[in-house]
Amino acid sequence: MKFLSFIKQNQPYLGLLVDGDGVFNLSAYLTQHDGHGLQFIPTNVSQLIALGEIALTNIQKTLLDIDMSEQELTHLDNVEVLPPLDITKNVFCVGRNYREHIIEGNIANGRPANSFPEAIEFFSKPSTAVIGHKGHVNRHANLTNSLDYEVELAIVIGRRGTNISRENALDHVFGYTIVNDITARDLQKRHGQWLKGKSLDTTCPMGPVVTHRSAIENPNDLNVSLTVNGELRQSENTSSMIFSIETIIEQLSAGLTLEPGDVIATGTPKGVGFAMTPPRCLEVGDVVSAQVQGIGTLTNEITA
Ligand code: MG
């Protein structure tokens, strides 16, 4: 099941994406059916996660009985898609996690090509940077000459936990979404720590949906790709990640509490703009589409 947060006629709703482009208004359906005993009617994916797993199971059972061909669906293009999570507490990120991307970055930065991280490199992006599908990414031309893209599979945490073992890691996952970890490469280098270069406003496109974990057989085997103006720049499979989903959750949660609604972007494959010869970073008017198998396509335009 693919859940999304959207606005229609100025009202926020929780939706279900049906057959790729049909939006079923789940909030309205639950309201019409007396809420199915829920504490409240969720109007976005964060609220759905907050209701807990029993409520979700009840909603899923209800949905199985609905014949979607008889329901009123709105085309995805006719709603305003919001970032799926409106109360994201943390957007954690994994740095270099794909071997070929690390090699291209090492070469571009004049380091030995085969120098790999021994431990996971974690950083975060602020929630103020988050925008949704079709939201505009500010070029920030007064601050950076090298705005770059990074398609990433992102984990959405569903159950609170600290010191989560890799064996139990997937039990803490609500689902998966897409993050485009837009990065100002010059700021990333200049400030030493990655925070500034990764955190400018609008540089965390997220969505368009959160696919529930039950619909993703193996998150460590998903095709990940990105195009700029239709030109394929990145294309790899999450099986190429050095650190798996389970390892990332185990190591990040060691002594650090993960909460429902937290997002963990898992790193990007090779093909980023700054490592191309010559570098090809993002400019105003570029349209970037990030795709992850089983989730969909997250599209954003760069604007002034
Ligand atoms: Mg990244």
PDB file of all heavy atoms in Angstrom, residues 153-167:
ATOM      1  N   LEU A 153      17.024   5.813  -1.557  1.00  0.00           N
ATOM      2  CA  LEU A 153      15.959   5.101  -0.858  1.00  0.00           C
ATOM      3  C   LEU A 153      15.957   5.597   0.589  1.00  0.00           C
ATOM      4  O   LEU A 153      17.020   5.710   1.204  1.00  0.00           O
ATOM      5  CB  LEU A 153      16.231   3.590  -0.873  1.00  0.00           C
ATOM      6  CG  LEU A 153      15.348   2.750   0.054  1.00  0.00           C
ATOM      7  CD1 LEU A 153      13.899   2.747  -0.403  1.00  0.00           C
ATOM      8  CD2 LEU A 153      15.879   1.321   0.147  1.00  0.00           C
ATOM      9  N   ALA A 154      14.781   5.900   1.126  1.00  0.00           N
ATOM     10  CA  ALA A 154      14.719   6.385   2.506  1.00  0.00           C
ATOM     11  C   ALA A 154      13.780   5.513   3.339  1.00  0.00           C
ATOM     12  O   ALA A 154      12.697   5.135   2.895  1.00  0.00           O
ATOM     13  CB  ALA A 154      14.247   7.839   2.539  1.00  0.00           C
ATOM     14  N   ILE A 155      14.245   5.210   4.531  1.00  0.00           N
ATOM     15  CA  ILE A 155      13.479   4.407   5.494  1.00  0.00           C
ATOM     16  C   ILE A 155      12.578   5.351   6.291  1.00  0.00           C
ATOM     17  O   ILE A 155      13.020   6.424   6.705  1.00  0.00           O
ATOM     18  CB  ILE A 155      14.457   3.718   6.487  1.00  0.00           C
ATOM     19  CG1 ILE A 155      15.496   2.876   5.754  1.00  0.00           C
ATOM     20  CG2 ILE A 155      13.694   2.907   7.530  1.00  0.00           C
ATOM     21  CD1 ILE A 155      16.740   2.570   6.615  1.00  0.00           C
ATOM     22  N   VAL A 156      11.329   4.954   6.522  1.00  0.00           N
ATOM     23  CA  VAL A 156      10.448   5.702   7.429  1.00  0.00           C
ATOM     24  C   VAL A 156      10.212   4.836   8.660  1.00  0.00           C
ATOM     25  O   VAL A 156       9.680   3.724   8.550  1.00  0.00           O
ATOM     26  CB  VAL A 156       9.103   6.043   6.750  1.00  0.00           C
ATOM     27  CG1 VAL A 156       8.195   6.794   7.722  1.00  0.00           C
ATOM     28  CG2 VAL A 156       9.332   6.860   5.483  1.00  0.00           C
ATOM     29  N   ILE A 157      10.634   5.342   9.805  1.00  0.00           N
ATOM     30  CA  ILE A 157      10.510   4.568  11.048  1.00  0.00           C
ATOM     31  C   ILE A 157       9.049   4.561  11.521  1.00  0.00           C
ATOM     32  O   ILE A 157       8.367   5.588  11.480  1.00  0.00           O
ATOM     33  CB  ILE A 157      11.424   5.172  12.142  1.00  0.00           C
ATOM     34  CG1 ILE A 157      12.903   5.006  11.750  1.00  0.00           C
ATOM     35  CG2 ILE A 157      11.152   4.528  13.513  1.00  0.00           C
ATOM     36  CD1 ILE A 157      13.404   3.579  11.672  1.00  0.00           C
ATOM     37  N   GLY A 158       8.590   3.387  11.960  1.00  0.00           N
ATOM     38  CA  GLY A 158       7.213   3.265  12.437  1.00  0.00           C
ATOM     39  C   GLY A 158       7.105   2.993  13.923  1.00  0.00           C
ATOM     40  O   GLY A 158       6.120   3.336  14.562  1.00  0.00           O
ATOM     41  N   ARG A 159       8.143   2.346  14.473  1.00  0.00           N
ATOM     42  CA  ARG A 159       8.102   1.977  15.898  1.00  0.00           C
ATOM     43  C   ARG A 159       9.351   2.505  16.602  1.00  0.00           C
ATOM     44  O   ARG A 159      10.468   2.330  16.131  1.00  0.00           O
ATOM     45  CB  ARG A 159       8.056   0.446  16.024  1.00  0.00           C
ATOM     46  CG  ARG A 159       7.793  -0.004  17.459  1.00  0.00           C
ATOM     47  CD  ARG A 159       8.036  -1.503  17.628  1.00  0.00           C
ATOM     48  NE  ARG A 159       7.197  -2.323  16.779  1.00  0.00           N
ATOM     49  CZ  ARG A 159       7.327  -3.655  16.676  1.00  0.00           C
ATOM     50  NH1 ARG A 159       8.259  -4.289  17.365  1.00  0.00           N
ATOM     51  NH2 ARG A 159       6.524  -4.338  15.887  1.00  0.00           N
ATOM     52  N   ARG A 160       9.089   3.155  17.747  1.00  0.00           N
ATOM     53  CA  ARG A 160      10.177   3.735  18.538  1.00  0.00           C
ATOM     54  C   ARG A 160      11.167   2.655  18.960  1.00  0.00           C
ATOM     55  O   ARG A 160      10.767   1.525  19.261  1.00  0.00           O
ATOM     56  CB  ARG A 160       9.561   4.374  19.781  1.00  0.00           C
ATOM     57  CG  ARG A 160      10.429   5.309  20.555  1.00  0.00           C
ATOM     58  CD  ARG A 160       9.556   6.013  21.602  1.00  0.00           C
ATOM     59  NE  ARG A 160      10.219   7.196  22.122  1.00  0.00           N
ATOM     60  CZ  ARG A 160      11.001   7.179  23.192  1.00  0.00           C
ATOM     61  NH1 ARG A 160      11.204   6.065  23.851  1.00  0.00           N
ATOM     62  NH2 ARG A 160      11.572   8.308  23.600  1.00  0.00           N
ATOM     63  N   GLY A 161      12.446   3.008  19.006  1.00  0.00           N
ATOM     64  CA  GLY A 161      13.403   2.019  19.473  1.00  0.00           C
ATOM     65  C   GLY A 161      14.795   2.573  19.663  1.00  0.00           C
ATOM     66  O   GLY A 161      15.203   3.536  19.014  1.00  0.00           O
ATOM     67  N   THR A 162      15.491   1.972  20.623  1.00  0.00           N
ATOM     68  CA  THR A 162      16.896   2.280  20.870  1.00  0.00           C
ATOM     69  C   THR A 162      17.638   0.948  20.915  1.00  0.00           C
ATOM     70  O   THR A 162      17.075  -0.069  21.338  1.00  0.00           O
ATOM     71  CB  THR A 162      17.070   2.986  22.232  1.00  0.00           C
ATOM     72  OG1 THR A 162      16.037   3.962  22.378  1.00  0.00           O
ATOM     73  CG2 THR A 162      18.421   3.677  22.350  1.00  0.00           C
ATOM     74  N   ASN A 163      18.881   0.951  20.476  1.00  0.00           N
ATOM     75  CA  ASN A 163      19.681  -0.287  20.466  1.00  0.00           C
ATOM     76  C   ASN A 163      18.942  -1.421  19.739  1.00  0.00           C
ATOM     77  O   ASN A 163      18.816  -2.535  20.251  1.00  0.00           O
ATOM     78  CB  ASN A 163      20.033  -0.723  21.898  1.00  0.00           C
ATOM     79  CG  ASN A 163      20.790   0.355  22.650  1.00  0.00           C
ATOM     80  OD1 ASN A 163      21.637   1.033  22.071  1.00  0.00           O
ATOM     81  ND2 ASN A 163      20.482   0.529  23.926  1.00  0.00           N
ATOM     82  N   ILE A 164      18.462  -1.127  18.564  1.00  0.00           N
ATOM     83  CA  ILE A 164      17.700  -2.102  17.771  1.00  0.00           C
ATOM     84  C   ILE A 164      18.694  -3.060  17.104  1.00  0.00           C
ATOM     85  O   ILE A 164      19.656  -2.617  16.462  1.00  0.00           O
ATOM     86  CB  ILE A 164      16.856  -1.389  16.698  1.00  0.00           C
ATOM     87  CG1 ILE A 164      15.890  -0.380  17.345  1.00  0.00           C
ATOM     88  CG2 ILE A 164      16.100  -2.393  15.847  1.00  0.00           C
ATOM     89  CD1 ILE A 164      15.264   0.596  16.364  1.00  0.00           C
ATOM     90  N   SER A 165      18.449  -4.354  17.257  1.00  0.00           N
ATOM     91  CA  SER A 165      19.344  -5.327  16.626  1.00  0.00           C
ATOM     92  C   SER A 165      19.021  -5.431  15.138  1.00  0.00           C
ATOM     93  O   SER A 165      17.904  -5.112  14.714  1.00  0.00           O
ATOM     94  CB  SER A 165      19.165  -6.711  17.259  1.00  0.00           C
ATOM     95  OG  SER A 165      17.884  -7.221  16.936  1.00  0.00           O
ATOM     96  N   ARG A 166      19.978  -5.903  14.368  1.00  0.00           N
ATOM     97  CA  ARG A 166      19.711  -6.032  12.929  1.00  0.00           C
ATOM     98  C   ARG A 166      18.605  -7.055  12.673  1.00  0.00           C
ATOM     99  O   ARG A 166      17.860  -6.944  11.715  1.00  0.00           O
ATOM    100  CB  ARG A 166      20.983  -6.369  12.159  1.00  0.00           C
ATOM    101  CG  ARG A 166      21.512  -7.775  12.344  1.00  0.00           C
ATOM    102  CD  ARG A 166      22.742  -7.989  11.509  1.00  0.00           C
ATOM    103  NE  ARG A 166      23.792  -7.037  11.868  1.00  0.00           N
ATOM    104  CZ  ARG A 166      24.661  -6.521  11.015  1.00  0.00           C
ATOM    105  NH1 ARG A 166      24.594  -6.859   9.751  1.00  0.00           N
ATOM    106  NH2 ARG A 166      25.591  -5.683  11.407  1.00  0.00           N
ATOM    107  N   GLU A 167      18.486  -8.051  13.578  1.00  0.00           N
ATOM    108  CA  GLU A 167      17.436  -9.069  13.412  1.00  0.00           C
ATOM    109  C   GLU A 167      16.034  -8.451  13.550  1.00  0.00           C
ATOM    110  O   GLU A 167      15.092  -8.881  12.905  1.00  0.00           O
ATOM    111  CB  GLU A 167      17.592 -10.193  14.452  1.00  0.00           C
ATOM    112  CG  GLU A 167      18.803 -11.097  14.237  1.00  0.00           C
ATOM    113  CD  GLU A 167      20.121 -10.439  14.631  1.00  0.00           C
ATOM    114  OE1 GLU A 167      20.108  -9.490  15.456  1.00  0.00           O
ATOM    115  OE2 GLU A 167      21.180 -10.847  14.111  1.00  0.00           O
TER     116      GLU A 167
END
